[in-house]
Amino acid sequence: MAPPLSKQSIVSMTSSTSSTSNSSDNSSYISDDPIVLVTGASGYVALHCVDQLLKAGYRTRGTVRSLRNAEKIEPLRRLPNQHLLELVEADLERPEEWPSVVDGCTYILHVASPWPIVANEKTISIAVNGTMTVLRAASKCSSVKKVVLTSSCAAINDGHKNNERIFDETCWTKLDSKKVENYAKSKTIAEKTAWDYWNSLNPMTKFELTVLNPTFITGPVLSSVEHGSATIIGRMMDFRTFLAAPKACLGVVDVRDVARAHILAMTNEKTNGERILITHTLPVWFKDMKNWLHEEFKNDGYIFSPITAPNWLLKIYAKTNIDPQSSAVVHRIGPELRFSNQKSIDLLRMEYIHPKQSVIEMMYSMIEFGMVRKPPLGKHSKKSSKESPKNCADSEFSTSQSNHGRTIAA
């Protein structure tokens, strides 16, 4: 795993990949104590962004829908360096609130976006309108120097026949494909709308924009708030909620790497005007994740299904609507899915936590937060999520994927 971020390390990294003049500009940002705005601060990814920003010494302003929601506010209040954290109420569906929210901020990490596993058309409008609310507010605030927007690989690879293809940042999801569901549409349309708006601004006065496209995000949770990744991984711990693994393949990235990428991109001028895939390159099948969890937790009383579902059976099951989430998986059935992370390595020097380590550490944290019930039979392991998982720390899988730009399975 890469070392913790600090303001000094970020400036050093940026200066080594930028010109001398760019380096001095970044130094001035640090000395002026910039404020970083993180939207949807209580969310899975955003909470990690806030955590890393505070640890790096950044003044951080986080938006939440309600300061009275203890379940979402308390995890933020447990983070270090509380004197640097300011929380404000703001709703992306009320654009009139946002100019005052953005006022005085130097950087914006727009992380907030809906991710229901089964998305409807409203998901699209919320994602697009929310993105435009933030960008319009940023364009009216002269202090904003850069926006880092969280998009998704769903804006890159959906609707294509992947076969032997390796997806990179030049690829866009094919919105005319019948296989593209509403979540992928929401991320694709929101990102394209963001680029169109940014390109329409006055080049002499506009803020800089970087878009990050993470794959399926796993890794430790910092709160008990449910989210899409936790729902999917959590279901694997019980054969009654995960009857069989679909023959579907994903790109996977650890949430800590996603947060780190946001903070590195924030001050790195080489990323201005770029979209960047954030991912480990190992193709991960659903059965791989289930097997990793089985190997780690089989002696703790959890019962896992050994079955891999035939494609025809999954399609029939999805049509019954007994489990709406199965319908969201059907269009993912297919051959091995592969992504390139070379751009993230070249521009951000990213090093990636292995998916096996990420998934196992995620589950330990979910158990600790009570998001996965301990089995009535069998003794639950008392191992802390902060410890290295067994069968992982001493294996090839625990090593970070660093600057060698692999684009195929390990």
Side-chain angles (χ1 to χ4, degrees), residues 251-269:
V252 173
V253 63
D254 189 272
V255 65
R256 293 161 291 188
D257 291 334
V258 177
R260 181 180 178 85
H262 279 75
I263 299 169
L264 292 174
M266 185 176 76
T267 56
N268 187 333
E269 295 189 7

Side-chain angles (χ1 to χ4, degrees), residues 168 284 392:
D168 61 20
V284 178
C392 187

Side-chain angles (χ1 to χ4, degrees), residues 237-294:
M237 296 296 285
D238 190 331
F239 73 96
R240 292 168 295 186
T241 55
F242 195 77
L243 297 173
K247 293 181 179 178
C249 189
L250 302 170
V252 173
V253 63
D254 189 272
V255 65
R256 293 161 291 188
D257 291 334
V258 177
R260 181 180 178 85
H262 279 75
I263 299 169
L264 292 174
M266 185 176 76
T267 56
N268 187 333
E269 295 189 7
K270 288 252 179 165
T271 69
N272 294 351
E274 300 286 350
R275 68 194 304 238
I276 307 172
L277 263 167
I278 306 299
T279 185
H280 197 284
T281 57
L282 177 71
V284 178
W285 298 84
F286 271 73
K287 69 174 181 180
D288 293 331
M289 293 188 284
K290 185 263 296 179
N291 288 342
W292 295 336
L293 293 171
H294 173 260

